[in-house]
Amino acid sequence: MWRGTTVSHPGFEEFVAARGPRLLRVAWLLTGDPHLAEDLLQTVLARVWPKWHRIADDSPEAYVRKALVHTHASWWRRRWRGEVPHGELPDRPQPADPYGDVDLEQVLAAAIRELPVRQRAVVVLRYFEDLSVADTAEVLGCTEGTVKSQASKALRALRGRLPSAVGIGGAGVSGGAAGARRGGESRGERHDR
């Protein structure tokens, strides 16, 4: 490609404008860092752009979502995960904290970041992106059984790490970022999506 030449891929800019915020949310949930999320999404979009003419008619959002998960996993494998010393331990929030919802979301985001990469990807795709087991398996390139077992392990780990107020796996779980399941599904229904 010659310097100064531009190539247009019809629909790419519209796709990024329309789906970019949702894809950035997925990237943030995977990385846990807004700056890394932007880098991850930009890297993936730069890799997808030359292939746009092939994927635009099929399912571009699923393709980009899968590329986000795979690129994040490759970044994660290369990252050094040594100890990071802290001077002080954070205080625990008071029960009558007016910012309890914000704190709860931060605790949930931190707990999700502590999950292994595969479990984190399953939680993000299943419960935040609301994909079915089959769609999640397709994005991750694994079987539905693997998605179910990884989701089960992830939810078990989250239950152990989160305060009981979050209520993962119990009755009364609300939707949104603080809920692991959507609106009142029973334990057996969540895997049948």
Side-chain angles (χ1 to χ4, degrees):
M1 178 85 29
W2 294 99
R3 184 178 247 168
T5 1
T6 59
V7 176
S8 174
H9 289 297
F12 183 76
E13 291 176 10
E14 292 82 8
F15 170 78
V16 173
R19 305 309 297 160
R22 185 174 180 101
L23 293 168
L24 183 59
R25 179 175 161 242
V26 171
W28 179 79
L29 287 166
L30 290 170
T31 63
D33 178 274
H35 304 292
L36 279 177
E38 289 175 359
D39 289 347
L40 176 61
L41 182 57
Q42 182 175 358
T43 300
V44 168
L45 290 174
R47 290 180 183 169
V48 166
W49 182 78
K51 303 171 189 169
W52 186 252
H53 64 280
R54 286 193 322 237
I55 65 169
D57 295 331
D58 193 23
S59 180
E61 186 172 359
Y63 186 93
V64 172
R65 190 183 297 122
K66 187 173 186 175
L68 282 169
V69 170
H70 287 272
T71 303
H72 174 258
S74 70
W75 285 7
W76 186 85
R77 283 185 210 109
R78 294 182 202 143
R79 196 181 102 209
W80 177 74
R81 283 173 289 288
E83 292 183 25
V84 179
H86 296 281
E88 297 179 21
L89 293 175
D91 292 334
R92 297 188 138 202
Q94 298 296 327
D97 185 4
Y99 301 105
D101 289 343
V102 173
D103 292 341
L104 186 60
E105 287 181 13
Q106 290 175 348
V107 168
L108 180 60
I112 289 172
R113 283 192 303 271
E114 292 175 11
L115 292 173
V117 174
R118 190 104 168 159
Q119 290 178 15
R120 184 182 325 157
V122 167
V123 167
V124 168
L125 295 173
R126 284 281 291 130
Y127 304 111
F128 287 91
E129 280 298 295
D130 206 21
L131 295 182
S132 67
V133 172
D135 291 341
T136 303
E138 183 180 328
V139 168
L140 296 176
C142 63
T143 66
E144 292 182 20
T146 301
V147 170
K148 291 176 183 179
S149 69
Q150 291 295 307
S152 175
K153 289 176 186 177
L155 291 177
R156 188 176 322 117
L158 289 173
R159 281 185 201 109
R161 291 182 181 136
L162 295 174
S164 60
V166 175
I168 288 184
V173 174
S174 64
R181 278 193 249 135
R182 300 285 180 204
E185 291 177 353
S186 71
R187 186 173 205 123
E189 291 177 66
R190 76 169 191 264
H191 292 301
D192 296 333
R193 289 186 115 137

